[in-house]
């Protein structure tokens, strides 16, 4: 279990930073993530120069902002980046100009149906500038002249991402990928970052891991593409993966399948959600959303699913200032951590076995196995044991058994452990 | 699109002719079909002599009728072939006799529950004779003597069918088969004939066809069997096929699957009906109905489905005089044409592609592809484009993509065209 | 058809005997079964010595009882084995002792919520003793001293089972397995025994059997394990199998699938139940219940399903004195026999055919086949004939045809017979 408050505190620390797909805000974010991961889970930071060709894309110029505002004739800042980094359209080119409200208006973005919220806008790949503000702010701006200042730089630099590898018994990898490019938005995706960090810490503390775990903290789209471009061969080792997004809000869970739809990660996620007791839905893959788009592209076809609560573009607070610290709660974050950790546990424990007494049922009583059941508090363990024995033909995995027996994975895992201890099972390598 | 009135006019012209599985009425029918097809779609007529062995069958003697009636003692015709060719049991042997009503009665067929309708009866393979009349007519016939005259001939001659081949880029064929043996019945099957003729005209006018299209106009059962007997080898080229029947009435559409049930024609038909917006149902194959029975027989197993509105034997007007010109409407005929043409379009356009930028998503913005979308009015084109790219792995056809994305085929077809124009896709040969 | 009263009479004769997994009651039971089977179906009895290792188990010592009771201080028997053999915990070790009610109480078993019923308890593999009695009996026992007598023997001897083989045209076997170890319980499993015996008689009377039928009457678990241990190679011949249990009560039928779930026996049983007109359910395999557990174990994986009415442990009378002669009825037994015999008929008649006129439909009228249909009373025979012809491609079995056509197996079987007689079908060897 995890303390959801610790996750929330990490989000609080990261929230004020002005992140983008490049720049110092992103670097600061990765520094804090690295500190939160701790020495047992050392984060490596990678800088990739602007102009580097990555797959079909090019690493863009680096963007940094010192200040940005719209001031009225009296010099009062009516829209001020210092109050919220959402006020500035992300990746705005530098501007210093005086203009009428009429000239300014095409550069101002609001959400008319939510007059108190500031929208979140970007213009990464087209030179443009703009400000986001609440509809109420805009309504209060009289006609007249305004001073516009965007003290930003767009210059050769680099794209930064962070990567953590926890080696396991095998080179088969489990990828946990989160995007880290959104500025002051708590759910999208600081919640995903927090769940990822605390999962990494828990796994790092384990004496033994079967899989190698790879945690990626990279800007959306271009970050995943950059990583893939630099790791074409290594990417083949990824046997299971998840993108984590929007995990702190109050919506039911959604699991979005891989493009293949029936990968082990799909079955593990569906199984864990079915037994976790939280409301949830499972949806098919579609080529939109977060970085699962890149991992599932035809050139890679990595089996990467996605776990989320609020869905991409489907809740009103999405990409607005209402996605704030109050929008995410310790309780929901802890639930999300439990689900993701449960999926990791299924993947780690999902082995195939061969019965060492396959002809008829072995005599469990003689071996004290019925007594052994008394020592546990796992419901359904006896039936799980009979199921594991019956399906221990080398062809069925424990997840197959759990699905077939309709019991939680931990029951078949515990049954297999008991049977293995009593010499009735052998793992299939 | 097609003008349903033109289809109805063709039906009107063909309606009065006394057709059968052989004979001059059939020849006249094929002559009119040939004229309606026009010079660009030249119909070939084939005569197969009586006595020719065709598969398990034999081409029967040819049947022609000059006159037929039942006259009362005063010489008045109380049942008269000249008023409706349905009055004579099709393939009746010649008769000239005087007999009492009691003797005549076993040869008279009515529909007691529809007292104004004349039934349609045949006796192709058993020497017999009879008259069909309305129950009201029969009730008005007093006891007494009647003169029976059937001035027909049953003599060595030939069976006639018509065939049109529109060559395509490949020898893979699409077969459109309609039966042409029913006399004055409008829906069964002049509606099928009209849809087939106008589809052939539209396809003939195209500069390019991928498939070779074969249109068959043949008498039911024995005509299809004769064609199959004479084209055993060529039949193997048929990759997709449809029988068309009862397409002018007001019933919802029914698609009847091939015996295999999952052929490309099945998926194309189901897809088109699902997106056409007309009420419809899809039913499994059963070895009864029209000539799909022959094409799907174990010796051929050609993937031939069937599109209809009213179903074989399942509506009261079926095989009665109520299946007349008023029973079929231009609107329904036009809808039917649209559906069949849509199926042909799916088969023609259903290619497999390979992405030329398969690693990650290509940068569509840089190529102006988002702007290109603005120039079209096809809803869902952007998502269709992303889907096509994601599934452009050489294994998925565009119909696979359309089914997966739940968008109309034309959207994925348009998306593939755009992507191909921008150098992002290559067709798999 | 069978006379359910004859089945009930056999149950009545077997009911009073004190059966167990070994001993003279079991021998006497097999003697009566052998007599009921008759000379045409000769039962072979096998004795396997105590101590024989069988798979993971060992044949236990043989158990016999002469007498057993609990008597009060006045010498009156308050619990008496002679009144019901359920009163004694099966396999109780010998005891002769005087003890207080408090000392005795841990050895007394009742069903508090059914105060008039005696439970059925066993202790085969752990040395123990005890008495079963009604809660009302126990309530009437005053505090005080009681004499306990269990005049039983647990000594080297043997385990007995009975086996009947009805040879067929092939060595492929159908196994019908029933457990015969329960004492005075009518439904579990004398009902299964009776259905099995009368099915064997009916099959023995047939002039021709395609499969070899093997009927096994063996004590539960250890009996099936002993048979499997002694017939490892021969067991491979079993192509289809059923365990029969609880077939005389008034519950709807339940068919429990094999572990594979889609064996021919599964399809045959589901088909017969679907067309038999009795309420029923089909459940998936689970590794609990009766001897299907052993047959389906990973070392054997014999496709053995299970037919029952009342389900293992799921009805209140299960393993109590309420499972008596009144709990099973001739009508229900006859229904059960009909279902099991119907399954055997499907397995016997389920052949693959090849059409001898596969190209198009053969002309049935010419061969008088439409007339032939008139001579039968089987509904749906004409469509069944067309279905058989269409699917007579050597790949489809008649059960495939029956499932596809949604008609009872006997209709396709009759259709295939007619077509074979008319030279249109040939069986695929």
């Amino acid at each position: 279990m995890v303390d959801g408050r610790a996750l929330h505190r990490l989000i609080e620390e990261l929230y004020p930073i002005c992140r983008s797909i490049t720049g110092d805000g992103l670097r600061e974010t990765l520094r804090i993530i690295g500190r939160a991961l701790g020495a047992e889970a050392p984060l490596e930071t990678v800088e990739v120069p602007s102009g580097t060709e990555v797959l079909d894309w090019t690493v863009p110029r680096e963007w940094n902002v010192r200040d940005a505002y719209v001031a009225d004739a009296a010099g009062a800042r009516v829209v001020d980046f210092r109050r919220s980094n959402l006020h500035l359209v992300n990746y705005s080119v530098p501007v210093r100009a005086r203009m009428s409200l009429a000239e300014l208006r095409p550069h101002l973005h609001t959400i008319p149906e939510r007059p108190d919220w500031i929208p979140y806008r970007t213009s990464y790949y087209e030179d443009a500038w703009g400000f986001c503000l609440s509809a109420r702010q805009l309504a209060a701006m009289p006609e007249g002249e305004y001073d516009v200042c965007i003290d930003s730089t767009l210059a050769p630099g680099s794209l930064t991402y962070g990567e953590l590898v926890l080696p396991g018994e095998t080179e088969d990898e489990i990828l946990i990928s989160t995007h880290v490019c959104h500025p002051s938005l708590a759910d999208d995706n600081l919640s995903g970052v927090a769940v990822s960090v605390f999962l990494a810490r828990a796994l790092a503390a384990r004496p033994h891991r079967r899989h190698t775990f790879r945690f990626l903290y990279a800007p959306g789209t271009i970050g995943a593409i950059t990583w893939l471009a630099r790791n074409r061969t290594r990417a083949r080792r990824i046997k299971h993966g998840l993108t984590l997004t929007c995990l702190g809000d109050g919506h039911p869970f959604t699991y979005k399948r891989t493009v293949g739809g029936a990968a082990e990660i799909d079955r593990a996620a569906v199984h864990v959600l079915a037994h976790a007791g939280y409301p949830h839905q499972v949806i098919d893959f579609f080529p939109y959303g977060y970085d699962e788009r890149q991992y599932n592209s035809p050139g890679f076809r990595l089996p990467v699913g996605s776990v989320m609560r609020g869905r991409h573009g489907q809740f009103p607070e999405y990409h607005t200032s209402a996605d704030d610290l109050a929008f995410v709660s310790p309780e929901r974050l802890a639930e999300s951590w439990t689900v993701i950790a449960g999926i990791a546990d299924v993947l780690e424990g999902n082995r195939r076995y061969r019965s060492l007494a396959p002809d008829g049922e072995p005599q469990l009583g003689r071996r004290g196995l019925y007594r052994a059941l008394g020592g546990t508090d796992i419901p359904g363990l006896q039936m799980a044991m009979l199921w594991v024995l019956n399906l221990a033909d080398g062809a069925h995995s424990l997840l197959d058994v759990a699905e077939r027996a309709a019991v939680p994975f931990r029951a078949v895992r515990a049954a297999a452990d008991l049977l293995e201890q009593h010499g009735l099972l052998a793992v299939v390598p």
Side-chain angles (χ1 to χ4, degrees), chain A:
Chain A
M1 292 303 301
V2 79
D3 180 357
R5 290 168 303 180
L7 277 72
H8 202 273
R9 279 193 298 270
L10 177 58
I11 294 173
E12 289 164 28
E13 186 173 3
L14 292 167
Y15 181 74
I17 300 167
C18 178
R19 271 167 296 275
S20 183
I21 57 173
T22 60
D24 290 331
L26 178 54
R27 285 190 192 91
E28 171 69 0
T29 297
L30 291 171
R31 196 191 56 75
I32 294 171
I33 290 173
R35 199 209 55 217
L37 284 166
E40 286 192 10
L43 186 72
E44 185 192 355
T45 305
V46 179
E47 299 280 351
V48 182
S50 301
T52 305
E53 298 207 347
V54 286
L55 304 182
D56 192 58
W57 302 61
T58 306
V59 173
R61 288 168 297 167
E62 183 174 327
W63 184 68
N64 285 291
V65 197
R66 262 179 306 271
D67 196 5
Y69 59 85
V70 176
D72 64 16
R77 293 185 171 204
V78 294
V79 184
D80 189 354
F81 171 76
R82 290 181 191 159
R83 265 190 256 155
S84 165
N85 54 41
L86 297 181
H87 276 313
L88 181 61
V89 169
N90 208 295
Y91 252 69
S92 283
V93 297
V95 173
R96 235 171 241 283
R98 166 164 291 208
M99 60 185 75
S100 69
L101 182 57
E103 288 168 295
L104 181 55
R105 211 178 275 273
H107 298 275
L108 300 181
H109 308 285
T110 64
I111 311 170
E113 62 275 27
R114 302 281 182 179
D116 292 317
W117 295 1
I118 309 164
Y120 162 56
R121 290 284 188 101
T122 71
S123 183
Y124 300 139
Y125 301 104
E126 207 159 336
D127 279 1
W129 63 270
F131 287 88
C132 299
L133 64 166
S134 74
R136 226 177 278 286
Q137 269 177 293
L138 178 58
M141 286 169 68
E143 295 297 329
E145 295 288 291
Y146 288 90
D147 281 314
V148 174
C149 165
I150 302 179
D151 184 6
S152 67
T153 54
L154 262 168
S158 58
L159 174 150
T160 320
Y161 66 80
E163 196 172 8
L164 161 66
V165 177
L166 299 175
E169 180 192 305
T170 71
E171 288 200 335
D172 288 351
E173 290 193 4
I174 297 175
L175 171 71
I176 305 293
S177 175
T178 51
H179 62 276
V180 288
C181 50
H182 286 30
S184 291
L185 299 171
D187 198 32
D188 181 13
N189 188 26
L190 296 178
S191 66
V193 169
V195 169
S196 170
V197 163
F198 279 78
L199 176 65
R201 285 170 56 139
L203 289 167
R206 288 196 185 169
H208 174 263
R209 288 175 296 274
R210 184 152 73 98
H211 294 87
T212 294
F213 281 81
R214 182 176 300 272
F215 290 81
L216 190 59
Y217 303 91
T221 306
I222 188 67
I225 282 169
T226 300
W227 186 86
L228 286 168
R230 295 166 50 91
N231 294 276
R232 278 176 184 272
T233 308
R234 185 171 301 151
R236 306 288 158 214
R237 297 185 192 160
I238 295 172
K239 301 300 183 233
H240 325 282
L242 288 177
T243 62
L244 304 186
T245 69
C246 300
L247 288 168
D249 64 80
H251 291 274
F253 283 98
T254 290
Y255 176 71
K256 177 183 171 181
R257 291 183 186 274
T258 65
V259 69
E264 192 172 338
I265 182 70
D266 295 315
R267 295 173 52 207
V270 170
H271 177 84
V272 167
L273 283 169
H275 287 275
Y278 306 124
H280 68 277
Q281 61 179 343
V282 176
I283 61 174
D284 278 342
F285 179 84
F286 54 92
Y288 207 69
Y290 297 100
D291 286 329
E292 64 277 7
R293 298 161 69 166
Q294 310 305 332
Y295 301 122
N296 283 280
S297 64
F300 289 100
R301 286 281 191 262
L302 303 178
V304 176
S306 190
V307 181
M308 68 206 87
R309 304 186 72 123
R311 283 178 59 184
H312 184 272
Q314 306 226 342
F315 52 101
E317 297 84 356
Y318 178 81
H319 279 197
T320 76
S321 57
D323 178 4
D324 60 11
L325 290 170
F327 187 63
V328 299
S329 75
E331 292 73 20
R332 298 300 163 248
L333 289 163
E335 286 174 4
S336 298
W337 183 93
T338 303
V339 165
I340 310 296
I343 295 171
D345 283 344
V346 170
L347 296 171
E348 281 282 277
N350 190 26
R351 310 298 303 258
R352 281 166 215 281
Y353 290 87
R354 201 174 286 284
S355 170
L356 298 176
D359 298 336
E361 277 176 25
Q363 200 178 358
L364 302 179
R366 167 160 68 84
R367 293 182 172 82
L369 269 159
Y370 289 123
R371 273 193 306 281
L373 296 178
T376 76
D377 62 346
I378 299 176
L381 188 52
Q382 182 176 340
M383 273 306 290
M385 201 155 70
L386 293 174
W387 269 114
V388 169
L389 279 170
N390 189 293
L391 295 179
D393 51 13
H396 292 86
S397 71
L398 291 187
L399 182 52
D400 292 330
V401 179
E403 287 179 347
R404 181 87 188 260
V407 298
F409 184 82
R410 63 187 282 259
V412 298
R413 183 62 266 175
D417 288 342
L418 262 177
L419 291 167
E420 202 176 7
Q421 287 156 24
H422 285 78
L424 283 169
L425 284 190
V427 75
V428 174

